[in-house]
Amino acid sequence: MATIWDAVEVKTPRQSSRETIHTVPSVARPGVSRRRRRLGPGPAIPFGLQIGPALLVLLWVTGSALGWIDPRILSAPWTVVEAFGRLIEQGRLQDNFVTSATRALLGLGIGLVIGTVLAVIASLSRIGEALIDGPVQIKRAIPTLALIPLLILWFGIGEGMKVTTIALAVIIPIYIHTHNALRGIDSRYVELAETLGMSQKDFILQVVLPGALPGFLLGLRFAVTLCWVSLVVVEQINATSGLGYMIDLARNYGQTDVILVGLVVYVLLGLVSDGLVRLLERRVLSWRRTLAN
Amino acid sequence: MAPHTGQLKSATKTVHVRNLVRRFAAKTILDGVDIDIEEGQFVALLGRSGSGKSTFLKALAGLDHDVEGTGTLDTPDNLSVVFQDARLLPWRTVIQNVTLGLPGAAGQEAGRKALAEVRLEGREAAWPNQLSGGEQQRVALARSLVRQPSLLLADEPFGALDALTRLKMHDLLRELCARHRPAVLLVTHDVDEAISLADRILVLDEGRLIEDLRVDLPAPRDHGDPRFASIRTQLLSRLGVETPGRRAA
């Protein structure tokens, strides 16, 4: 039975009135569902983020077992595990770890609070922005390593100086991402808050900060790995305790396996911290419908 | 920006506007608007695009911070705005959106009642983007009425909804206004909507009010009623729209 889909007359201005165009007959094919080609990445692979590191470890194990990797250049994984065990028995790993972790987390906490407060002030007040944004960009341009001699001069070489250095480094990603997210809040929500007669405090707590949360959490991901990286830098200069000290000592004695233990601990700290923030992101931002979910 | 005078309003006038002028860049958007709205009166504001309807509503809502102008503007402190987009905070649940800015358990209770009135009880914990457009706009209505406002400003609130949902929303709005009795200014481009809902219809053209019509049809308003049709024709001609069979001689 002929249907209207069998042939369609189309006249375009270019054609003469006599010409017609017939489309390809379009009959539904049985058993084939017509879906649009999916352009997004699709559902998540379970444990997808852990696959990459796992493959690297596999490579390491295989390389060492097959003799491709010289144990003098890179200790075999089982040597590192042995060293781990030794250090834990001696209690050295735990003590140094606690010292380092305390420094890093204190610096992270302080930097987080200061960075957020500065971002909020700079976003909600023009004078605040004028006073704060420039100096932050200046600090950003100076690498922590270059800043350390000055910081030693000002704050000495104690715990205070180490925590300050880490905090100063952490402020930057928190400020930049939070400030950017705050400025990007749709002005329609600002209008809404005004019509509801919200107080400045309620406006900040219920509209501004939650609205900036996605950007803030991205800044947190950077901050959380940066605090460990800054820790490494800060512990290289005259540490008398902590993971950096342990690595330094091992370097002096040529103990590659202990160095690797230290590095593995840093890597684990970084990966676990980032993973925790991503988990937090998924929980807290479950209301979003984006390419990622 | 025009100062609010802070004078006592006349006894029953919820809104008092005199000689309101608003300019944006070099263009005068509102050119001396005078209007009084009584307590509990439902007023619809019609106008072509560019006539200044939204500017007028923004001025009444106090949202025109960077617009220059003069004139007297008296509005109640307790007013609510319903926007064309539902404007729910996507990071807050439905009940949290309704009670935004309302502290405490009393606020929660009022919020729940408001949601029940718009027939969304049970959806308190949903996220806004789990709701349909009509449902979102109902939440916005609940939010606007939960504070018992004296004045409800609605800026084309049903413009983004499909025709069937729009009709249901008309009924809902009528019901809510009959119960809470705020003064209402409904900005709309839909003439039928205006006649169907309002006691009084204004037409704004190039920043001036050119029509102020009382609508005395009994409720429920029937679109088929010849008086309805004659009001529609009158309004359409004021808006510059020709209706078939009734061309000016």
Side-chain angles (χ1 to χ4, degrees):
Chain A
M1 184 182 78
T3 67
I4 57 165
W5 300 110
D6 289 341
V8 172
E9 236 182 69
V10 175
K11 293 199 185 70
T12 68
R14 289 178 288 134
Q15 296 167 314
S16 74
S17 53
R18 298 247 189 87
E19 278 179 51
T20 58
I21 292 179
H22 292 268
T23 63
V24 175
S26 108
V27 175
R29 281 177 289 169
V32 174
S33 67
R34 293 277 185 86
R35 291 221 189 113
R36 293 281 168 199
R37 176 179 302 141
R38 178 188 222 129
L39 294 175
I45 303 174
F47 299 105
L49 292 174
Q50 283 78 36
I51 291 181
L55 284 175
L56 280 176
V57 171
L58 198 61
L59 212 64
W60 184 14
V61 168
T62 324
S64 295
L66 295 179
W68 297 337
I69 302 177
D70 186 342
R72 290 168 300 176
I73 299 185
L74 182 66
S75 311
W78 37 90
T79 321
V80 175
V81 169
E82 252 182 296
F84 245 106
R86 217 183 335 129
L87 290 166
I88 291 182
E89 255 181 56
Q90 296 167 350
R92 284 176 60 204
L93 187 61
Q94 297 93 304
D95 291 339
N96 287 317
F97 175 79
V98 166
T99 316
S100 290
T102 314
R103 283 178 192 143
L105 292 174
L106 256 175
L108 177 67
I110 295 175
L112 223 159
V113 170
I114 296 182
T116 311
V117 167
L118 288 179
V120 170
I121 297 177
S123 315
L124 295 178
S125 133
R126 290 293 178 195
I127 297 179
E129 187 176 40
L131 293 175
I132 293 174
D133 204 74
V136 170
Q137 300 299 335
I138 290 174
K139 159 65 187 71
R140 181 186 178 200
I142 305 176
T144 309
L145 208 51
L147 202 52
I148 282 180
L150 216 55
L151 290 170
I152 294 180
L153 210 57
W154 290 341
F155 299 112
I157 54 177
E159 287 303 302
M161 175 264 174
K162 299 193 170 65
V163 170
T164 307
T165 314
I166 296 175
L168 280 175
V170 160
I171 285 177
I172 302 301
I174 296 281
Y175 174 86
I176 296 204
H177 288 280
T178 309
H179 181 47
N180 191 51
L182 287 168
R183 284 197 311 177
I185 287 188
D186 202 326
S187 57
R188 294 180 307 161
Y189 296 130
V190 182
E191 256 187 4
L192 171 72
E194 285 176 12
T195 63
L196 294 172
M198 291 180 93
S199 64
Q200 186 78 341
K201 170 174 151 256
D202 277 343
F203 172 58
I204 292 177
L205 291 178
Q206 297 195 32
V207 180
V208 169
L209 287 181
L213 209 51
F216 167 78
L217 287 173
L218 182 63
L220 188 60
R221 279 179 62 196
F222 281 99
V224 127
T225 38
L226 191 59
C227 85
W228 302 114
V229 168
S230 310
L231 175 76
V232 171
V233 169
V234 128
E235 284 186 339
Q236 294 300 339
I237 37 135
N238 100 301
T240 49
S241 60
L243 290 169
Y245 168 66
M246 191 183 84
I247 294 179
D248 213 33
L249 221 55
R251 192 162 47 92
N252 281 336
Y253 293 128
Q255 294 175 306
T256 337
D257 52 353
V258 175
I259 296 180
L260 280 172
V261 168
L263 293 185
V264 166
V265 173
Y266 283 141
V267 163
L268 285 175
L269 284 170
L271 287 178
V272 167
S273 313
D274 188 66
L276 284 175
V277 178
R278 285 208 219 198
L279 202 66
L280 181 66
E281 247 184 4
R282 260 209 304 274
R283 286 285 173 76
V284 161
L285 299 181
S286 56
W287 51 264
R288 284 202 305 182
R289 286 166 66 193
T290 59
L291 201 65
N293 348 17
Chain B
M1 198 188 103
H4 286 235
T5 58
Q7 298 161 345
L8 274 178
K9 302 183 243 303
S10 28
T12 53
K13 305 277 185 286
T14 302
V15 175
H16 174 75
V17 178
R18 278 292 171 272
N19 203 25
L20 192 65
V21 174
R22 286 289 182 267
R23 268 181 289 273
F24 201 73
K27 191 161 184 289
T28 303
I29 313 265
L30 293 179
D31 198 2
V33 175
D34 295 330
I35 195 70
D36 287 319
I37 300 181
E38 327 250 324
E39 211 175 297
Q41 194 177 48
F42 197 126
V43 179
L45 180 60
L46 288 170
R48 291 179 295 188
S49 32
S51 54
K53 310 193 295 284
S54 285
T55 310
F56 182 60
L57 190 127
K58 288 242 163 87
L60 284 182
L63 294 175
D64 55 351
H65 300 296
D66 294 319
V67 182
E68 53 162 290
T70 55
T72 307
L73 188 64
D74 281 342
T75 48
D77 291 325
N78 184 9
L79 60 74
S80 280
V81 183
V82 184
F83 301 92
Q84 182 167 17
D85 57 307
R87 227 169 272 200
L88 303 178
L89 297 180
W91 50 82
R92 283 276 184 270
T93 58
V94 161
I95 184 71
Q96 287 169 329
N97 266 287
V98 173
T99 56
L100 200 59
L102 276 186
Q108 291 297 307
E109 195 44 51
R112 263 188 285 273
K113 279 215 200 91
L115 279 175
E117 274 188 67
V118 299
R119 292 190 263 286
L120 282 175
E121 66 278 321
R123 306 299 297 274
E124 282 90 359
W127 297 106
N129 57 22
Q130 292 171 325
L131 303 178
S132 71
E135 289 170 333
Q136 289 185 15
Q137 199 58 296
R138 281 192 269 160
V139 175
L141 269 179
R143 176 179 63 196
S144 65
L145 289 170
V146 80
R147 291 149 199 273
Q148 314 284 5
S150 318
L151 175 63
L152 178 65
L153 299 172
D155 190 357
E156 310 204 30
F158 311 132
L161 304 173
D162 64 273
L164 294 175
T165 312
R166 213 178 295 162
L167 291 176
K168 293 204 209 128
M169 295 295 271
H170 288 173
D171 291 336
L172 182 61
L173 186 60
R174 234 181 264 122
E175 193 186 302
L176 295 172
C177 289
R179 194 173 314 136
H180 296 275
R181 306 232 48 115
V184 181
L185 180 68
L186 172 72
V187 169
T188 180
H189 58 269
D190 183 348
V191 175
D192 283 353
E193 182 173 280
I195 305 174
S196 166
L197 294 172
D199 305 322
R200 187 175 165 201
I201 304 184
L202 308 170
V203 178
L204 195 63
D205 189 44
E206 314 239 317
R208 289 192 199 187
L209 285 177
I210 59 170
E211 182 71 72
D212 185 345
L213 191 58
R214 303 275 158 169
V215 181
D216 282 322
L217 300 174
R221 307 247 172 106
D222 178 11
H223 286 228
D225 187 336
R227 287 174 295 173
F228 196 112
S230 87
I231 298 177
R232 181 200 291 128
T233 313
Q234 185 182 348
L235 289 171
L236 284 176
S237 80
R238 296 308 261 139
L239 289 165
V241 177
E242 297 269 344
T243 43
R246 290 266 197 163
R247 290 180 211 276

